[in-house]
Amino acid sequence: MRALWRRYLNGNPEYLAHYYWWAYLAPFGVWFFSHHLVINSILFGQYRRILDALLRHLHTAPCGRMLQLTCAYGKLTPALAGLTDELHLTDVASIQLKIAGNGLAHQHRSALMARMNAESMAYAASSFDTVVIFFLLHELPPAARQRALSEALRVLKPGGRLLIAEYGIDRNRHPLHRITLLRRAIERLEPFLHDFQQDDLPAQLQSCALKHGKSLQPADEQALFGGYYRVMLFNA
Ligand SMILES: C[S@@+](CC[C@H](N)C(=O)[O-])C[C@H]1O[C@@H](n2cnc3c(N)ncnc32)[C@H](O)[C@@H]1O
């Protein structure tokens, strides 16, 4: 029998269809996860805090031409659209762009949307003043993550800002990391999370920046929920 996930390939990366079809590609999943209560519960009630921690950096200076690197459920996209006249939103899944467009229209806001793979984007080099990545990286297999980081640095202008909201590093100190059953359940749903949490993200970003002849300085890192989550700001 043909595996169910294969029907969601449809131009999407294999890992996305295989591991995340139920969350990002199947219409029922998209409907289900579009509810604030669901997304907030997945983030252990921290959605607002994470969003505020990210947005506070964007209130300090004009955002200019801004890229939201992939869609995210919740209020992020309308909030970003309210901060700039030129928000670009890209995602590899058309259903995600559609739902994001509906959400923006509902709030009387807009963004320039394009279907692209974060691992290889069609935007010109150094074309964005601000790049925002919200809980994407931990969902990517290591090689895809490396390519997506490289692309984010390629399109970021020298002098621009990169903002990342993500899970914190796992040093097995947080109470949630020590509940074995919960840990196993999360690792099953998020097969690349553990790998991501062992990586040195700032070092990876620095090497991607160097590859594109750019420099990148870590400017701020806020640990949230006892370090289970983090919001990071880098200046190019
Ligand atoms: C931003 S991440 C996770 C967001 C978070 N779980 C939430 O919704 O709050 C999920 C998005 O990344 C997209 N995505 C995953 N891999 C991608 C890739 N290689 N290129 C572009 N979009 C990708 C998925 O289609 C999905 O819309």
Side-chain angles (χ1 to χ4, degrees), residues 63-118:
C63 297
R65 194 168 188 252
M66 175 153 55
L67 172 66
Q68 181 187 330
L69 189 47
T70 81
C71 296
Y73 294 121
K75 299 174 183 141
L76 173 69
T77 308
L80 296 182
L83 290 171
T84 174
D85 291 336
E86 198 178 342
L87 174 65
H88 292 251
L89 174 60
T90 183
D91 200 286
V92 78
S94 358
I95 191 168
Q96 287 294 328
L97 290 168
K98 188 162 175 265
I99 205 95
N102 292 345
L104 282 167
H106 193 68
Q107 307 261 335
H108 306 289
R109 294 199 163 142
S110 64
L112 295 152
M113 291 190 263
R115 186 179 184 209
M116 286 182 209
N117 189 327

Short mmCIF file of all heavy atoms in Angstrom, two decimals, residues 63-118:
data_model
loop_
_atom_site.label_atom_id
_atom_site.label_comp_id
_atom_site.label_asym_id
_atom_site.label_seq_id
_atom_site.Cartn_x
_atom_site.Cartn_y
_atom_site.Cartn_z
N CYS A 63 11.86 48.32 10.33
CA CYS A 63 12.11 46.94 9.87
C CYS A 63 12.49 46.88 8.40
O CYS A 63 13.02 45.88 7.93
CB CYS A 63 10.87 46.07 10.09
SG CYS A 63 10.46 45.93 11.82
N GLY A 64 12.18 47.96 7.65
CA GLY A 64 12.51 47.97 6.22
C GLY A 64 11.85 46.83 5.48
O GLY A 64 10.74 46.40 5.80
N ARG A 65 12.57 46.32 4.51
CA ARG A 65 12.07 45.17 3.72
C ARG A 65 12.29 43.92 4.57
O ARG A 65 13.43 43.55 4.88
CB ARG A 65 12.87 45.12 2.42
CG ARG A 65 12.28 44.23 1.36
CD ARG A 65 12.97 44.48 0.02
NE ARG A 65 12.29 43.77 -1.03
CZ ARG A 65 12.79 42.69 -1.64
NH1 ARG A 65 13.97 42.22 -1.31
NH2 ARG A 65 12.10 42.09 -2.59
N MET A 66 11.18 43.28 4.93
CA MET A 66 11.26 42.20 5.92
C MET A 66 10.81 40.87 5.30
O MET A 66 9.83 40.82 4.57
CB MET A 66 10.38 42.54 7.13
CG MET A 66 10.30 41.42 8.15
SD MET A 66 9.97 41.98 9.84
CE MET A 66 8.50 42.93 9.68
N LEU A 67 11.54 39.80 5.67
CA LEU A 67 11.17 38.45 5.22
C LEU A 67 10.79 37.61 6.43
O LEU A 67 11.58 37.48 7.38
CB LEU A 67 12.36 37.78 4.50
CG LEU A 67 12.18 36.30 4.15
CD1 LEU A 67 11.06 36.11 3.12
CD2 LEU A 67 13.48 35.70 3.63
N GLN A 68 9.59 37.05 6.40
CA GLN A 68 9.23 36.01 7.37
C GLN A 68 9.50 34.68 6.68
O GLN A 68 8.82 34.31 5.72
CB GLN A 68 7.77 36.11 7.80
CG GLN A 68 7.42 35.03 8.82
CD GLN A 68 5.94 34.98 9.15
OE1 GLN A 68 5.23 35.98 9.09
NE2 GLN A 68 5.46 33.79 9.49
N LEU A 69 10.52 33.99 7.17
CA LEU A 69 10.96 32.76 6.51
C LEU A 69 10.12 31.60 7.00
O LEU A 69 10.39 31.00 8.02
CB LEU A 69 12.46 32.55 6.79
CG LEU A 69 13.16 31.43 6.04
CD1 LEU A 69 12.86 31.47 4.56
CD2 LEU A 69 14.65 31.52 6.27
N THR A 70 9.08 31.37 6.27
CA THR A 70 8.03 30.34 6.41
C THR A 70 6.89 30.78 7.32
O THR A 70 7.06 31.54 8.26
CB THR A 70 8.53 28.93 6.85
OG1 THR A 70 8.72 28.90 8.23
CG2 THR A 70 9.76 28.51 6.09
N CYS A 71 5.74 30.25 7.00
CA CYS A 71 4.52 30.58 7.72
C CYS A 71 4.57 30.02 9.14
O CYS A 71 5.33 29.10 9.43
CB CYS A 71 3.30 29.98 7.02
SG CYS A 71 3.02 30.67 5.38
N ALA A 72 3.76 30.60 10.00
CA ALA A 72 3.63 30.07 11.37
C ALA A 72 2.20 30.31 11.79
O ALA A 72 1.61 31.34 11.45
CB ALA A 72 4.59 30.79 12.30
N TYR A 73 1.64 29.36 12.50
CA TYR A 73 0.29 29.55 13.01
C TYR A 73 0.32 30.69 14.04
O TYR A 73 1.35 30.96 14.64
CB TYR A 73 -0.20 28.27 13.67
CG TYR A 73 -0.39 27.12 12.70
CD1 TYR A 73 0.30 25.93 12.85
CD2 TYR A 73 -1.27 27.23 11.62
CE1 TYR A 73 0.13 24.86 11.96
CE2 TYR A 73 -1.44 26.18 10.73
CZ TYR A 73 -0.74 25.01 10.90
OH TYR A 73 -0.91 23.97 10.01
N GLY A 74 -0.82 31.34 14.23
CA GLY A 74 -0.89 32.35 15.29
C GLY A 74 -0.82 33.77 14.75
O GLY A 74 -1.06 34.02 13.57
N LYS A 75 -0.43 34.70 15.64
CA LYS A 75 -0.55 36.13 15.34
C LYS A 75 0.71 36.75 14.77
O LYS A 75 0.77 37.96 14.58
CB LYS A 75 -0.94 36.86 16.63
CG LYS A 75 -2.28 36.38 17.18
CD LYS A 75 -2.56 37.02 18.54
CE LYS A 75 -3.88 36.43 19.06
NZ LYS A 75 -3.89 36.17 20.47
N LEU A 76 1.74 35.94 14.56
CA LEU A 76 3.02 36.51 14.14
C LEU A 76 2.91 37.31 12.84
O LEU A 76 3.33 38.47 12.77
CB LEU A 76 4.07 35.40 13.98
CG LEU A 76 5.40 35.84 13.39
CD1 LEU A 76 6.17 36.71 14.36
CD2 LEU A 76 6.26 34.63 13.00
N THR A 77 2.35 36.70 11.80
CA THR A 77 2.36 37.34 10.48
C THR A 77 1.58 38.67 10.47
O THR A 77 2.12 39.68 9.99
CB THR A 77 1.82 36.36 9.40
OG1 THR A 77 2.56 35.14 9.52
CG2 THR A 77 1.99 36.89 8.01
N PRO A 78 0.35 38.72 11.01
CA PRO A 78 -0.32 40.02 11.05
C PRO A 78 0.47 41.06 11.86
O PRO A 78 0.53 42.24 11.49
CB PRO A 78 -1.66 39.72 11.74
CG PRO A 78 -1.88 38.26 11.53
CD PRO A 78 -0.52 37.63 11.48
N ALA A 79 1.14 40.60 12.94
CA ALA A 79 1.93 41.55 13.75
C ALA A 79 3.09 42.10 12.92
O ALA A 79 3.35 43.31 12.93
CB ALA A 79 2.45 40.85 15.01
N LEU A 80 3.77 41.24 12.16
CA LEU A 80 4.90 41.70 11.34
C LEU A 80 4.40 42.63 10.23
O LEU A 80 5.03 43.63 9.92
CB LEU A 80 5.65 40.51 10.72
CG LEU A 80 6.34 39.55 11.69
CD1 LEU A 80 7.08 38.45 10.91
CD2 LEU A 80 7.32 40.28 12.61
N ALA A 81 3.25 42.27 9.66
CA ALA A 81 2.70 43.10 8.57
C ALA A 81 2.38 44.51 9.07
O ALA A 81 2.41 45.47 8.30
CB ALA A 81 1.46 42.43 7.98
N GLY A 82 2.08 44.62 10.36
CA GLY A 82 1.78 45.94 10.93
C GLY A 82 3.04 46.76 11.18
O GLY A 82 2.95 47.95 11.53
N LEU A 83 4.21 46.14 11.02
CA LEU A 83 5.46 46.84 11.35
C LEU A 83 6.23 47.33 10.13
O LEU A 83 7.26 48.00 10.26
CB LEU A 83 6.38 45.90 12.15
CG LEU A 83 5.94 45.58 13.57
CD1 LEU A 83 6.81 44.48 14.17
CD2 LEU A 83 6.01 46.82 14.43
N THR A 84 5.78 46.93 8.96
CA THR A 84 6.51 47.33 7.75
C THR A 84 5.54 47.48 6.57
O THR A 84 4.48 46.87 6.56
CB THR A 84 7.60 46.29 7.38
OG1 THR A 84 8.18 46.65 6.13
CG2 THR A 84 7.03 44.88 7.26
N ASP A 85 5.97 48.25 5.59
CA ASP A 85 5.16 48.38 4.37
C ASP A 85 5.48 47.25 3.41
O ASP A 85 4.82 47.08 2.40
CB ASP A 85 5.48 49.70 3.65
CG ASP A 85 4.98 50.87 4.47
OD1 ASP A 85 4.06 50.67 5.28
OD2 ASP A 85 5.56 51.97 4.32
N GLU A 86 6.57 46.52 3.69
CA GLU A 86 6.97 45.47 2.75
C GLU A 86 7.36 44.18 3.47
O GLU A 86 8.53 43.92 3.71
CB GLU A 86 8.11 45.97 1.85
CG GLU A 86 8.22 45.11 0.61
CD GLU A 86 9.31 45.57 -0.36
OE1 GLU A 86 9.77 46.72 -0.28
OE2 GLU A 86 9.70 44.74 -1.21
N LEU A 87 6.31 43.42 3.80
CA LEU A 87 6.56 42.11 4.40
C LEU A 87 6.48 41.05 3.30
O LEU A 87 5.49 40.98 2.57
CB LEU A 87 5.51 41.79 5.48
CG LEU A 87 5.59 40.37 6.06
CD1 LEU A 87 6.91 40.15 6.81
CD2 LEU A 87 4.41 40.07 6.97
N HIS A 88 7.53 40.24 3.20
CA HIS A 88 7.52 39.10 2.29
C HIS A 88 7.37 37.84 3.13
O HIS A 88 8.01 37.71 4.18
CB HIS A 88 8.84 39.02 1.50
CG HIS A 88 8.99 40.15 0.53
ND1 HIS A 88 8.90 39.99 -0.83
CD2 HIS A 88 9.21 41.48 0.74
CE1 HIS A 88 9.06 41.15 -1.42
NE2 HIS A 88 9.26 42.08 -0.50
N LEU A 89 6.52 36.94 2.65
CA LEU A 89 6.28 35.70 3.38
C LEU A 89 6.45 34.55 2.40
O LEU A 89 5.84 34.54 1.34
CB LEU A 89 4.85 35.72 3.93
CG LEU A 89 4.35 34.44 4.61
CD1 LEU A 89 5.21 34.07 5.80
CD2 LEU A 89 2.90 34.62 5.05
N THR A 90 7.31 33.62 2.78
CA THR A 90 7.51 32.50 1.88
C THR A 90 7.34 31.18 2.62
O THR A 90 7.59 31.09 3.82
CB THR A 90 8.91 32.58 1.21
OG1 THR A 90 9.04 31.52 0.30
CG2 THR A 90 10.03 32.47 2.23
N ASP A 91 6.88 30.18 1.90
CA ASP A 91 6.69 28.85 2.46
C ASP A 91 6.65 27.88 1.28
O ASP A 91 6.25 28.25 0.18
CB ASP A 91 5.36 28.77 3.24
CG ASP A 91 5.34 27.60 4.22
OD1 ASP A 91 5.22 26.44 3.79
OD2 ASP A 91 5.45 27.85 5.44
N VAL A 92 7.02 26.64 1.55
CA VAL A 92 7.01 25.66 0.46
C VAL A 92 5.61 25.05 0.29
O VAL A 92 5.32 24.47 -0.76
CB VAL A 92 8.10 24.59 0.73
CG1 VAL A 92 7.66 23.57 1.76
CG2 VAL A 92 8.54 23.91 -0.54
N ALA A 93 4.76 25.19 1.29
CA ALA A 93 3.43 24.57 1.24
C ALA A 93 2.38 25.60 0.85
O ALA A 93 2.16 26.59 1.57
CB ALA A 93 3.09 23.97 2.61
N SER A 94 1.70 25.36 -0.29
CA SER A 94 0.70 26.35 -0.74
C SER A 94 -0.43 26.51 0.26
O SER A 94 -0.95 27.61 0.44
CB SER A 94 0.13 26.00 -2.10
OG SER A 94 0.69 24.88 -2.64
N ILE A 95 -0.81 25.42 0.92
CA ILE A 95 -1.93 25.52 1.87
C ILE A 95 -1.58 26.46 3.03
O ILE A 95 -2.45 27.17 3.56
CB ILE A 95 -2.36 24.11 2.38
CG1 ILE A 95 -3.67 24.17 3.15
CG2 ILE A 95 -1.29 23.45 3.21
CD1 ILE A 95 -4.31 22.81 3.44
N GLN A 96 -0.31 26.50 3.39
CA GLN A 96 0.12 27.39 4.47
C GLN A 96 0.06 28.85 4.01
O GLN A 96 -0.34 29.73 4.78
CB GLN A 96 1.54 27.04 4.90
CG GLN A 96 1.63 25.77 5.69
CD GLN A 96 0.93 25.86 7.04
OE1 GLN A 96 0.88 26.93 7.66
NE2 GLN A 96 0.37 24.76 7.48
N LEU A 97 0.44 29.11 2.78
CA LEU A 97 0.38 30.48 2.27
C LEU A 97 -1.08 30.94 2.17
O LEU A 97 -1.41 32.09 2.46
CB LEU A 97 1.06 30.56 0.90
CG LEU A 97 2.59 30.39 0.96
CD1 LEU A 97 3.17 30.18 -0.44
CD2 LEU A 97 3.26 31.60 1.62
N LYS A 98 -1.94 30.00 1.79
CA LYS A 98 -3.36 30.34 1.66
C LYS A 98 -3.93 30.74 3.02
O LYS A 98 -4.60 31.77 3.16
CB LYS A 98 -4.10 29.12 1.09
CG LYS A 98 -5.52 29.39 0.73
CD LYS A 98 -6.03 28.28 -0.22
CE LYS A 98 -7.49 28.47 -0.48
NZ LYS A 98 -8.34 27.70 0.37
N ILE A 99 -3.64 29.94 4.02
CA ILE A 99 -4.19 30.21 5.36
C ILE A 99 -3.61 31.51 5.93
O ILE A 99 -4.29 32.30 6.57
CB ILE A 99 -3.98 28.99 6.29
CG1 ILE A 99 -5.00 28.95 7.41
CG2 ILE A 99 -2.63 28.89 6.90
CD1 ILE A 99 -6.14 28.09 7.08
N ALA A 100 -2.33 31.76 5.63
CA ALA A 100 -1.70 33.00 6.09
C ALA A 100 -2.35 34.20 5.40
O ALA A 100 -2.62 35.23 6.04
CB ALA A 100 -0.21 32.97 5.80
N GLY A 101 -2.64 34.05 4.10
CA GLY A 101 -3.30 35.13 3.35
C GLY A 101 -4.68 35.43 3.92
O GLY A 101 -5.06 36.60 4.07
N ASN A 102 -5.42 34.38 4.28
CA ASN A 102 -6.75 34.58 4.87
C ASN A 102 -6.64 35.31 6.20
O ASN A 102 -7.42 36.22 6.49
CB ASN A 102 -7.43 33.22 5.13
CG ASN A 102 -7.78 32.52 3.83
OD1 ASN A 102 -7.77 33.13 2.76
ND2 ASN A 102 -8.08 31.23 3.91
N GLY A 103 -5.65 34.90 7.00
CA GLY A 103 -5.44 35.54 8.31
C GLY A 103 -5.12 37.02 8.16
O GLY A 103 -5.62 37.86 8.91
N LEU A 104 -4.28 37.34 7.17
CA LEU A 104 -3.91 38.74 6.95
C LEU A 104 -5.12 39.55 6.48
O LEU A 104 -5.36 40.66 6.97
CB LEU A 104 -2.80 38.82 5.90
CG LEU A 104 -1.40 38.47 6.39
CD1 LEU A 104 -0.45 38.27 5.22
CD2 LEU A 104 -0.86 39.56 7.32
N ALA A 105 -5.87 38.98 5.55
CA ALA A 105 -7.04 39.70 5.01
C ALA A 105 -8.03 39.99 6.14
O ALA A 105 -8.62 41.08 6.20
CB ALA A 105 -7.70 38.87 3.92
N HIS A 106 -8.18 39.04 7.04
CA HIS A 106 -9.08 39.19 8.18
C HIS A 106 -8.69 40.40 9.03
O HIS A 106 -9.52 41.07 9.63
CB HIS A 106 -9.01 37.90 9.01
CG HIS A 106 -10.09 37.77 10.01
ND1 HIS A 106 -11.40 37.59 9.67
CD2 HIS A 106 -10.05 37.82 11.38
CE1 HIS A 106 -12.14 37.54 10.76
NE2 HIS A 106 -11.35 37.68 11.80
N GLN A 107 -7.40 40.67 9.09
CA GLN A 107 -6.89 41.80 9.90
C GLN A 107 -6.65 43.04 9.03
O GLN A 107 -5.99 43.97 9.47
CB GLN A 107 -5.55 41.41 10.53
CG GLN A 107 -5.57 40.12 11.32
CD GLN A 107 -5.72 40.35 12.80
OE1 GLN A 107 -5.36 41.41 13.31
NE2 GLN A 107 -6.27 39.38 13.49
N HIS A 108 -7.11 43.00 7.79
CA HIS A 108 -6.91 44.10 6.84
C HIS A 108 -5.43 44.42 6.65
O HIS A 108 -5.03 45.59 6.62
CB HIS A 108 -7.69 45.35 7.29
CG HIS A 108 -9.13 45.07 7.51
ND1 HIS A 108 -10.01 44.81 6.49
CD2 HIS A 108 -9.85 44.94 8.64
CE1 HIS A 108 -11.20 44.55 6.98
NE2 HIS A 108 -11.13 44.62 8.30
N ARG A 109 -4.63 43.37 6.60
CA ARG A 109 -3.19 43.56 6.37
C ARG A 109 -2.77 42.72 5.17
O ARG A 109 -3.53 41.88 4.70
CB ARG A 109 -2.41 43.14 7.61
CG ARG A 109 -2.72 44.09 8.76
CD ARG A 109 -1.72 44.07 9.84
NE ARG A 109 -1.89 45.26 10.65
CZ ARG A 109 -1.75 45.30 11.95
NH1 ARG A 109 -1.43 44.22 12.62
NH2 ARG A 109 -1.90 46.43 12.61
N SER A 110 -1.54 42.96 4.70
CA SER A 110 -1.12 42.19 3.52
C SER A 110 0.38 41.89 3.55
O SER A 110 1.13 42.53 4.30
CB SER A 110 -1.47 42.96 2.24
OG SER A 110 -0.72 44.14 2.21
N ALA A 111 0.75 40.93 2.73
CA ALA A 111 2.17 40.58 2.58
C ALA A 111 2.37 40.09 1.16
O ALA A 111 1.41 39.66 0.50
CB ALA A 111 2.54 39.48 3.58
N LEU A 112 3.61 40.15 0.70
CA LEU A 112 3.94 39.61 -0.62
C LEU A 112 4.33 38.16 -0.42
O LEU A 112 5.32 37.87 0.26
CB LEU A 112 5.11 40.40 -1.22
CG LEU A 112 4.75 41.86 -1.50
CD1 LEU A 112 5.97 42.75 -1.41
CD2 LEU A 112 4.11 41.97 -2.88
N MET A 113 3.49 37.27 -0.95
CA MET A 113 3.69 35.86 -0.65
C MET A 113 4.22 35.10 -1.87
O MET A 113 3.78 35.35 -2.99
CB MET A 113 2.39 35.24 -0.19
CG MET A 113 1.99 35.78 1.18
SD MET A 113 0.64 34.87 1.85
CE MET A 113 -0.67 35.95 1.38
N ALA A 114 5.14 34.17 -1.60
CA ALA A 114 5.69 33.37 -2.69
C ALA A 114 6.01 31.97 -2.18
O ALA A 114 6.49 31.81 -1.06
CB ALA A 114 6.96 34.01 -3.23
N ARG A 115 5.70 31.00 -3.03
CA ARG A 115 5.99 29.61 -2.66
C ARG A 115 7.46 29.31 -3.00
O ARG A 115 7.85 29.39 -4.16
CB ARG A 115 5.07 28.65 -3.42
CG ARG A 115 5.24 27.23 -2.95
CD ARG A 115 4.33 26.25 -3.67
NE ARG A 115 4.50 24.93 -3.06
CZ ARG A 115 4.34 23.78 -3.68
NH1 ARG A 115 3.96 23.77 -4.94
NH2 ARG A 115 4.54 22.65 -3.06
N MET A 116 8.23 29.04 -1.98
CA MET A 116 9.66 28.73 -2.19
C MET A 116 10.12 27.78 -1.12
O MET A 116 9.56 27.74 -0.02
CB MET A 116 10.52 30.00 -2.03
CG MET A 116 10.44 30.97 -3.15
SD MET A 116 11.56 32.35 -2.82
CE MET A 116 10.69 33.63 -3.70
N ASN A 117 11.17 27.05 -1.45
CA ASN A 117 11.82 26.19 -0.47
C ASN A 117 12.87 27.05 0.25
O ASN A 117 13.71 27.68 -0.39
CB ASN A 117 12.49 25.01 -1.17
CG ASN A 117 12.99 23.98 -0.20
OD1 ASN A 117 13.40 24.29 0.91
ND2 ASN A 117 12.96 22.73 -0.61
N ALA A 118 12.84 27.06 1.57
CA ALA A 118 13.78 27.86 2.36
C ALA A 118 15.23 27.46 2.10
O ALA A 118 16.15 28.23 2.38
CB ALA A 118 13.46 27.70 3.85
#
